[in-house]
Every structure is written in structure tokens, then in C-alpha cells.
Amino acid sequence: MQERMENPALVLPAAMQALNALSKVPTETGLSPKLLELVNLRSSQINGCSVCIDGHWRIARKHGETDERLFAVAGWRDAPYYSDAERAALGLTEAITRLSDRPDPVPDDVWDEATRHYDGRSLAALVIAIANINVWNRLNIATRQIAGAWKP
């Protein structure tokens, strides 16, 4: 496969600046970088974004994430490696990423579980993080970016 064009965020520097600024917000509110990388990885797996799948496990490892947790993130419901708060974040990630898969895209039980573990600011930051990785996934997939070209 060949990329269709350079990533649009690289073509339009203002877009890159905005997306990079947005990506800093969740950590500035105190969300763990390890949690955010699990969210990034899971959303990218769902969307099939090979660039982000390839990059975000690398970033997670730099933050001290373990192989067990990285390898099992697609099966987070059954794997013993995640806290209840992480499970709530991953459940919310899946719901927000798969908006068209069900009549109620983000069911109350998923939302309510997230609110049990995250206060208003951290929940807002989590939703921003999920939305941001979905933007990156869509930019990369639409333009057929090549996995491995980006090495964080």
C-alpha cells in the first residue's frame, strides 16, 4: 500500500499545532500517561489504524507499560491486568469509538461506570483524549499513512 498524501496535519501546520495542543490537555488534568496510551491503543485497534497501533505501544512502553497489559488490551474485559478505573476508561473508549454500532452509542451503564472512577475534569479529559485519537486514526486511515514511518 502507498500513502495517498502526506498526513493532513503535516500539510496544514495549524492543524498539527491544534491537535498537539489538544493531546496535552488530558495529562495536564492529571490523567495517567499509561492510561492514555491504553486508550489510544484500544481505539486504534478498533479503527484499524496501523500507524497508531504501531506507535502507541511504543509510547506506552516509554511510560513503563508492561507487555502483558499491552498485548491483552484488546481483551481487557477478561484479562486480569487492569484496574476497575482502567476498565471503565476502556469501556468508554470502545463506546465513543464505535458510535454507529448501536442505537445508544454511549449507554448509561458505560457512562455511569466512568463517572464512578473519574470526576468531572478527568472525565472531560478522558472524552477529549478519546476524541483526539479518533481524529488521528481517521486522518491516517483516510490518507493511507504507512505504519512504521512514524517512530515516537
Side-chain angles (χ1 to χ4, degrees):
M1 181 176 1
Q2 185 176 352
E3 75 179 23
R4 290 178 166 150
M5 66 177 289
E6 190 173 20
N7 187 300
L10 295 173
V11 174
L12 303 171
M16 178 64 88
Q17 191 174 19
L19 289 170
N20 282 337
L22 188 60
S23 73
K24 293 176 183 172
V25 171
T27 53
E28 291 170 355
T29 63
L31 288 180
S32 158
K34 286 170 67 172
L35 171 67
L36 293 170
E37 290 310 321
L38 291 175
V39 163
N40 290 338
L41 183 57
R42 185 64 191 125
S43 184
S44 299
Q45 289 172 336
I46 292 166
N47 286 325
C49 182
S50 62
V51 172
C52 289
I53 293 168
D54 184 59
H56 286 287
W57 74 262
R58 295 172 195 279
I59 298 170
R61 290 284 302 275
K62 289 178 183 177
H63 289 295
E65 194 54 84
T66 66
D67 288 344
E68 290 83 6
R69 287 166 47 92
L70 291 171
F71 297 155
V73 75
W76 62 268
R77 285 179 181 82
D78 300 319
Y81 309 120
Y82 309 99
S83 70
D84 289 343
E86 290 168 331
R87 290 175 193 284
L90 290 166
L92 188 61
T93 298
E94 289 187 358
I96 292 173
T97 300
R98 292 182 164 142
L99 291 176
S100 67
D101 287 358
R102 57 184 84 131
D104 184 6
V106 182
D108 288 340
D109 63 322
V110 170
W111 184 262
D112 292 346
E113 184 62 16
T115 64
R116 285 184 354 93
H117 300 280
Y118 301 96
D119 65 18
R121 282 182 54 79
S122 59
L123 185 57
L126 183 58
V127 171
I128 291 291
I130 297 164
N132 195 40
I133 190 59
N134 273 278
V135 168
W136 280 109
N137 291 168
R138 281 151 177 76
L139 292 173
N140 289 329
I141 291 167
T143 59
R144 292 188 179 155
Q145 298 302 299
I146 308 300
W150 171 59
K151 296 271 193 212

